Amino acid sequence: MENRIEILKADVQQKVGRNIILFQQVEAMLNFLAAYGEFSPRTNEEAQFEDLRKRLLITLAGYRQELMLEFLARCQLSSADSLLQAVVYLDGQMDRLLPEVERLQTLVKNQQAAMKEWAAILDGKPIEELLSQHETLIRVLDDYARMATGEGRWVPVFDVSHRLSKSMPQEMSALEATYGSRNLLSLIRACGKFEVNARATDSRPEYWFRLKA
């Protein structure tokens, strides 16, 4: 019995990690499409993407909340029955999200093709000019704010900055040239769309943001 529980625990841990990675992949694709969605002609597909994007923002926020708070709280690691229920739950979460992921992957490929056409139109103009025209990071920040589910729907600036440095390194490195902001916090403050809250810590303040009411 003890060996079975250990096997089930390992299975649950693997599936939790798998689902979290899938959430991150969806988030990266949403970031890309939110940032560059204006670079393709307005079509029925774009309208469908907007519906999909809004739905996935809500879905991702709910899944994260459910997985990181509710699921972990109710999963009893010493109970085989509880672990089996956890496996079913995690697989179900994956199965519900995969069809949407496949649609996102198709949209990303289409968008990448559209951006190649834009590259030809730019004809040597700096990428910063292109980014500036479309407020790339501001659109993505708006998405993060809409995904927030905690009390007051505040989003930690450091966490978002860390994520974007990995998923959108070119845009982050062009912050000052594109937006005149030396860092993400400066951009959040300057764009006028968000409230900023500083929270005292033992070392230095932590900054959080949310959409203005």
Side-chain angles (χ1 to χ4, degrees), residues 7 9-10 33-34 42 57 64 72 81 99 101 103 128 130-131 139 153 159 165 174 176 184 194 196:
I7 292 172
K9 282 169 63 175
L33 290 166
R42 299 191 69 82
L57 286 172
R64 276 194 175 131
L72 293 177
D81 288 341
V101 171
R103 290 186 63 194
E128 288 81 4
L130 186 63
L131 298 178
R139 288 163 61 91
R153 304 189 73 175
D159 182 54
S165 293
E176 189 160 7
L184 196 65
F194 308 104
V196 176

Side-chain angles (χ1 to χ4, degrees), residues 57-73:
L57 286 172
I58 296 171
T59 300
L60 264 187
Y63 279 3
R64 276 194 175 131
Q65 175 92 1
E66 200 175 71
L67 181 62
M68 304 309 296
L69 298 178
E70 300 168 17
F71 166 76
L72 293 177

Side-chain angles (χ1 to χ4, degrees), residues 13-14 29 40 49 51 60 67 74 86 89-90 97 100 113 125 130 137 141 151 153-154 171 175 188 193 195 211:
Q13 290 168 350
Q14 184 272 328
M29 287 189 286
S40 57
F49 160 65
D51 291 340
L60 264 187
L67 181 62
R74 69 172 181 261
Y89 162 78
L90 291 166
L97 198 53
E100 307 285 30
K125 293 180 183 177
L130 186 63
L137 286 175
L141 289 169
E151 184 178 353
R153 304 189 73 175
W154 290 100
E171 290 81 357
L175 264 174
I188 290 169
K193 294 190 64 172
E195 297 178 49
L211 285 170

Side-chain angles (χ1 to χ4, degrees), residues 33 45 49 52 103-111:
L33 290 166
E45 185 179 76
F49 160 65
L52 175 64
R103 290 186 63 194
L104 272 181
Q105 288 171 336
T106 299
L107 287 168
V108 166
K109 288 179 181 177
N110 292 345
Q111 191 58 51

Side-chain angles (χ1 to χ4, degrees), residues 109-144:
K109 288 179 181 177
N110 292 345
Q111 191 58 51
Q112 287 171 333
M115 289 180 71
K116 288 182 181 178
E117 296 178 10
W118 267 90
I121 294 171
L122 280 174
D123 192 24
K125 293 180 183 177
I127 187 65
E128 288 81 4
E129 182 175 334
L130 186 63
L131 298 178
S132 180
Q133 291 172 0
H134 295 274
E135 298 186 326
T136 304
L137 286 175
I138 295 173
R139 288 163 61 91
V140 174
L141 289 169
D142 186 270
D143 277 355
Y144 274 110

Side-chain angles (χ1 to χ4, degrees), residues 3-21:
N3 186 51
R4 183 181 181 222
I5 287 177
E6 290 303 314
I7 292 172
L8 286 170
K9 282 169 63 175
D11 195 21
V12 168
Q13 290 168 350
Q14 184 272 328
K15 291 178 187 295
V16 167
R18 176 201 64 189
N19 286 17
I20 289 174
I21 289 172

